[in-house]
Amino acid sequence: MGGSGVTGDYIWALATAKGARFPVIVHKADGAPAWLSSEDLVVAISYSGNTYETVSCAREAHAKGALVLSVTSGGKLAAWARETGLPLATIQPGYYPRTALGMLAGATLGILSAAGVEVANEGEVKDAAEALRSTSRGEGETIARALKGKDLYIIAGCGVFDIVAHRWRQEFSENAKAIAKTEFYPESAHNDLVVWQQQHGERKGFILIEGDGKVCSVLEELLRQVYSEQRDTLVRVTPRGNGLLAQLLQGSLLGGFTSVYLASLNGVDPRDTSITGRYKEALEKAGLT
């Protein structure tokens, strides 16, 4: 979930783009998939190390004979990995989990490389770091000011940039406490498109994460037209950087900056996610820890 979960999405996108000869599955539910076996490699990613779904999956995967690599700042996952003697990559604790995306991605790429699976080389990592350094808070503030005062945010992506759109929605929810909906291709070209056949009274902010490819170009041009017909704010974002890793991280960072400035403009605290504690309490009451 959150930044930990989207790290898995990044790995899937990078491996797919490089034509990996093995399937990459992102699993975010509790427990391990029924088909998992001793021939599989599992990477358990949880910033806190206490995410129930991740820890339970790691334990079940190990019981099925799969090799489990863990990426975390501590918690139950780190303790379990040390106890079992399985590979562990630890990152610095003390951050809000959603701000640790870069560390999670870097550590995951590193532990995979150590296991003989390279989905991004050193040059690509350096290019990503440069793209992040080139992204200013001012860019996020400019977008936030354009989107201020809306009742609903529609965030659309195409191709691998669906992941970036999904990350923007997460950041808008957690930081800005704003109601946001993500539209993914091909749904955005079919059932999601139908709702925009008529005008809607809510004040809307449309965000279009633009990608590459002929199909995406056709879809994005259509969405620009349809969203503009709603007579509301449309912001177009093109993730930048040399290579896919750079573009994924840069686009995500820009979404983070935008959401924090939007929180400030809306008068809400981007740090407060206390309501999520109720889910953890419910799990504990059910004996799921």
Side-chain angles (χ1 to χ4, degrees), residues 71-82:
V71 179
T72 182
S73 69
K76 296 175 182 177
L77 184 60
W80 174 81
R82 292 189 179 104

Side-chain angles (χ1 to χ4, degrees), residues 72-104:
T72 182
S73 69
K76 296 175 182 177
L77 184 60
W80 174 81
R82 292 189 179 104
E83 179 183 325
T84 56
L86 291 169
L88 169 66
T90 56
I91 59 177
Q92 188 173 347
Y95 287 83
Y96 292 101
R98 57 193 178 278
T99 68
L101 181 55
M103 288 191 290
L104 288 165

Side-chain angles (χ1 to χ4, degrees), residues 21 55 73 79 100-101 104 106 113 125 128 159 183 197 203 237 246 250 286:
R21 296 185 179 182
V55 175
S73 69
L101 181 55
L104 288 165
S113 179
V125 172
E183 296 189 341
Q197 285 184 184
R203 296 171 297 173
V237 175
Q250 191 277 333

Side-chain angles (χ1 to χ4, degrees), residues 142-153:
T142 298
I143 296 173
R145 290 191 179 280
L147 294 171
K148 179 186 176 184
K150 305 300 182 182
D151 301 310
L152 174 66
Y153 296 94

Side-chain angles (χ1 to χ4, degrees), residues 202-223:
E202 302 89 352
R203 296 171 297 173
K204 300 172 292 297
F206 293 95
I207 304 161
L208 185 56
I209 312 294
E210 300 183 327
D212 297 320
K214 291 183 179 180
V215 173
C216 285
S217 294
V218 171
L219 173 63
E220 288 158 6
E221 176 59 31
L222 173 61
L223 292 181

Side-chain angles (χ1 to χ4, degrees), residues 247-261:
Q247 292 164 4
L248 290 171
L249 288 173
Q250 191 277 333
S252 297
L253 178 61
L254 182 57
F257 284 159
T258 300
S259 67
V260 170
Y261 277 108

Side-chain angles (χ1 to χ4, degrees), residues 47-185:
Y47 179 75
S48 69
N50 294 319
T51 306
Y52 168 71
E53 291 82 359
T54 307
V55 175
S56 67
C57 179
R59 289 171 173 165
E60 287 191 21
H62 178 55
K64 286 174 172 282
L67 173 60
V68 180
L69 316 178
S70 297
V71 179
T72 182
S73 69
K76 296 175 182 177
L77 184 60
W80 174 81
R82 292 189 179 104
E83 179 183 325
T84 56
L86 291 169
L88 169 66
T90 56
I91 59 177
Q92 188 173 347
Y95 287 83
Y96 292 101
R98 57 193 178 278
T99 68
L101 181 55
M103 288 191 290
L104 288 165
T108 302
L109 291 171
I111 200 170
L112 279 170
S113 179
V117 180
E118 185 174 279
V119 293
N121 58 41
E122 184 178 350
E124 290 170 312
V125 172
K126 289 181 178 179
D127 288 339
E130 179 57 35
L132 293 175
R133 283 192 291 267
S134 74
T135 306
S136 71
R137 292 177 174 84
E139 293 177 74
E141 182 178 11
T142 298
I143 296 173
R145 290 191 179 280
L147 294 171
K148 179 186 176 184
K150 305 300 182 182
D151 301 310
L152 174 66
Y153 296 94
I154 310 299
I155 309 169
C158 184
V160 293
F161 292 136
D162 278 357
I163 302 169
V164 178
H166 178 58
R167 185 60 185 157
W168 276 59
R169 186 201 60 75
Q170 291 177 335
E171 296 280 58
F172 273 45
S173 295
E174 286 195 307
N175 293 332
K177 315 299 185 289
I179 300 174
K181 175 182 182 291
T182 310
E183 296 189 341
F184 295 149
Y185 173 80

